[in-house]
Amino acid sequence: MSLPRTAIEPLSFREALGHYASGITVITSQIAGEPIGFTCQSFYSVSMSPPLVSFSVMSGSASYPRIRQAGRFAVNILSGEQVRISNQFARKGTDKWHGVQWQESPLGNPIIAGSLHWLDCEIHAEHAAGDHLIVIGEVKALNLQQAAAAQPLLYFKGQYCNLAAHGSV
């Protein structure tokens, strides 16, 4: 027995996916001395051996073609204190780096000050998927920050959430 095929309305689909809590990252790179970056919540691990991670980006992204040209990127995992950073890097056509402190990673990617953690990656593969690209990176360096009390920046049902407010299970 097959289910009837019905078109999924994009806004309903987006609302349904909003029920999945996700962490917030900023994907960064640098080319010709110019830092590049964008906010990304579709980041996940792929493989332990080799160490692979992935993120998805809109096919029409203005930032990603320059990251592809660089051939490398960093994943900055944002802390709960970095809502402003998340919002700033989510905007199009603005100086996303205004007032942002950063340093270079071992591969030369920008590492945003105050991030919970970062992963330094080389582009391993890229796959077209609908209106997005799935980018897979091989992790070449990482650094777990020693801020034990820091909490991640989470996004759920269209808003930022505080993990600490909900206690442990």
Side-chain angles (χ1 to χ4, degrees):
M1 178 180 195
S2 63
L3 296 174
R5 291 193 64 167
T6 59
I8 302 294
E9 201 274 321
L11 289 177
S12 296
F13 185 58
R14 182 181 181 134
E15 183 180 339
L17 294 178
H19 286 77
Y20 180 72
S22 63
I24 303 292
T25 68
V26 173
I27 306 297
T28 60
S29 191
Q30 186 174 192
I31 193 160
E34 181 186 353
I36 307 155
F38 63 91
T39 299
C40 179
Q41 72 183 88
S42 59
F43 165 75
Y44 53 94
S45 64
V46 174
S47 169
M48 296 299 281
S49 182
L52 301 176
V53 295
S54 182
F55 67 87
S56 296
V57 60
M58 291 280 298
S59 297
S61 165
S63 301
Y64 182 67
R66 294 175 19 231
I67 293 171
R68 179 194 293 126
Q69 185 180 355
R72 58 182 163 67
F73 62 90
V75 179
N76 293 267
I77 300 171
L78 299 186
S79 77
E81 306 297 315
Q82 293 180 300
V83 170
R84 181 188 66 79
I85 297 285
S86 175
N87 288 334
Q88 190 164 324
F89 279 86
R91 292 189 194 103
K92 295 179 181 178
T94 62
D95 179 6
K96 296 178 181 186
W97 293 92
H98 178 75
V100 176
Q101 294 181 348
W102 60 277
Q103 63 186 27
E104 281 192 14
S105 72
L107 293 181
N109 297 310
I111 302 301
I112 298 171
S115 296
L116 280 183
H117 185 68
W118 56 263
L119 303 163
D120 216 9
C121 306
E122 290 179 350
I123 294 176
H124 178 77
E126 181 183 294
H127 305 282
D131 60 0
H132 276 65
L133 296 171
I134 299 169
V135 180
I136 299 173
E138 184 169 354
V139 179
K140 297 295 186 176
L142 52 83
N143 183 36
L144 184 58
Q145 304 298 323
Q146 297 303 316
Q151 295 292 321
L153 182 58
L154 299 178
Y155 201 70
F156 179 66
K157 294 174 74 174
Q159 61 188 3
Y160 295 109
C161 297
N162 183 340
L163 183 66
H166 300 288
S168 299
V169 175

